[in-house]
Amino acid sequence: MKKIIVIPGDGIGKEVTDSAVKVLKKIDEKFQIGLEFEYRDAGGTAYDKFGEPLPAETLDACKKADAVLFGAVGGKKWDNIDVDKRPEKALFGLRKGLGLFANLRPVKVYDALIDGSPLKPELVGGSDLLIVRELVGGIYFGERCESEIYNGVERAWDTEIYSVPEIERIAKLAFESAKIRRGKLTSVDKANVLASSRLWRRVVIELAKNFPEVELNHLYVDNAAMQLALNPKQFDVIVTSNMFGDILSDEAAVIGGSIGLMPSASIGELTSFYEPIHGSAPDIAGKNIANSMGTILSAAMLLRYSLNAEEAAKNIESAVDKTLADGYRTADIYQDGFKKIGTDEATEIICDRI
Ligand code: IPM
Ligand code: MG
């Protein structure tokens, strides 16, 4: 049996993971993978029940699992509690605790959605890129100070630290990803300003010697942000630090049409972790209107990377493709003339196409 820990989390997390689990069950009937699901709490929901956003038991269960499927955490309700108890803390605890060092965020443009893109169709059409974001280092995990008095004024600070092994580990995975894609890697940094970026660039250049078949270039993050909007087709794989990757991957989601469609995989030392890149959207929670395709496509990545079930992964991806091509749209991607569907209906329609 393959054990999958499901963490619905908060807000629409429950609906989107319910939907993805139904799709995985359908896939399991067809491919006989032997999937077994167990549920755990994290985020605000866990805080309400146990006083902790990430109960130790949740982390332990994840460590022993073949893979983790995650919904989303956060919500206004928990905005004013102590920083250490905030729902987002669960995500950081899972990332650090499971050693999830590489966050893969593929961006693909669906032909069926191209006309709904806020960007020009000829500009985004055919874009296919992968953002490889470092996930357990940098400014997210550096030493910080929430408040101190310095020279008579209050200030706060964060630190960005990267070590050579941390950069090598993420860059190696990015080179390997580029090698099996179109052979192009763009490393994004801010080496004109930051010391940590200058080390980043030096280490990436050194590692490139081991990957002569991959064409490497470097962009400063400000220019990368502009290039993503100007000409996304120039990119194959992008590798970058934790914070730059956070920012660029939201920008890149626009190229793909909707953040609701974007999956992600976080590759770890102990297990790997799969989640849509959208948040918990508390305003639409429980209304059966959330787009669960990002989570369903994350489940496809789970099959691909954790269970080595490529055929099953492709089956899910093509079922989503067909659903869109057949004119079905959830509210976030709805346009006049298409068939509007809710979360439950979308799940059924996708299952029917498996
Ligand atoms: C993401 C999210 C998180 C992050 C938030 C929820 C803390 O934006 O996964 O991209 O910044 O990493
Ligand atoms: Mg983000």
Side-chain angles (χ1 to χ4, degrees), residues 11 118 138 158 300 334:
D158 302 274
Y334 179 73

Side-chain angles (χ1 to χ4, degrees), residues 64-101:
K64 291 182 214 128
D66 289 288
V68 181
L69 183 68
F70 187 87
V73 291
K76 279 217 170 52
K77 188 178 169 196
W78 304 285
D79 271 357
N80 295 317
I81 59 177
D82 193 44
V83 263
D84 283 333
K85 304 278 182 194
R86 299 260 308 246
E88 291 78 11
K89 269 276 158 180
L91 256 186
F92 301 141
L94 285 160
R95 287 175 184 174
K96 205 63 171 180
L98 300 173
L100 305 174
F101 68 92

Side-chain angles (χ1 to χ4, degrees), residues 188-209:
V188 172
D189 61 37
K190 189 70 186 173
N192 50 347
V193 180
L194 304 176
S196 51
S197 277
R198 285 189 282 275
L199 179 70
W200 179 284
R201 192 176 282 217
R202 176 147 61 79
V203 172
V204 172
I205 289 173
E206 187 58 34
L207 198 68
K209 292 180 185 152

Side-chain angles (χ1 to χ4, degrees), residues 73-248:
V73 291
K76 279 217 170 52
K77 188 178 169 196
W78 304 285
D79 271 357
N80 295 317
I81 59 177
D82 193 44
V83 263
D84 283 333
K85 304 278 182 194
R86 299 260 308 246
E88 291 78 11
K89 269 276 158 180
L91 256 186
F92 301 141
L94 285 160
R95 287 175 184 174
K96 205 63 171 180
L98 300 173
L100 305 174
F101 68 92
N103 183 220
L104 310 185
R105 296 187 168 182
V107 177
K108 189 186 133 168
V109 176
Y110 289 87
D111 289 339
L113 295 183
I114 233 170
D115 290 328
S117 172
L119 301 171
K120 291 201 186 87
E122 64 273 22
L123 193 124
V124 291
S127 300
D128 176 8
L129 60 101
L130 174 69
I131 297 185
V132 178
R133 167 188 176 192
E134 199 289 325
L135 204 60
V136 289
I139 201 161
Y140 272 59
F141 291 95
E143 207 188 319
R144 62 170 53 96
C145 171
E146 297 291 330
S147 169
E148 68 178 13
I149 302 297
Y150 185 81
N151 282 344
V153 290
E154 185 183 14
R155 67 176 194 178
W157 46 266
D158 302 274
T159 45
E160 169 95 345
I161 299 183
Y162 271 111
S163 69
V164 171
E166 281 177 306
I167 303 167
E168 278 175 348
R169 176 169 70 170
I170 188 76
K172 184 163 176 279
L173 192 142
F175 274 109
E176 278 160 0
S177 306
K179 206 169 136 176
I180 56 172
R181 288 174 51 101
R182 300 193 305 281
K184 211 184 150 200
L185 178 63
T186 303
S187 173
V188 172
D189 61 37
K190 189 70 186 173
N192 50 347
V193 180
L194 304 176
S196 51
S197 277
R198 285 189 282 275
L199 179 70
W200 179 284
R201 192 176 282 217
R202 176 147 61 79
V203 172
V204 172
I205 289 173
E206 187 58 34
L207 198 68
K209 292 180 185 152
N210 303 337
F211 297 91
E213 60 280 74
V214 175
E215 183 198 330
L216 171 69
N217 73 325
H218 306 270
L219 288 181
Y220 296 140
V221 63
D222 48 350
N223 187 22
M226 185 171 71
Q227 294 300 327
L228 263 175
L230 281 177
N231 177 18
K233 276 180 262 199
Q234 71 184 289
F235 295 109
D236 179 11
V237 178
I238 293 176
V239 65
T240 192
S241 64
N242 204 341
M243 186 159 70
F244 295 161
D246 177 48
I247 299 167
L248 293 181

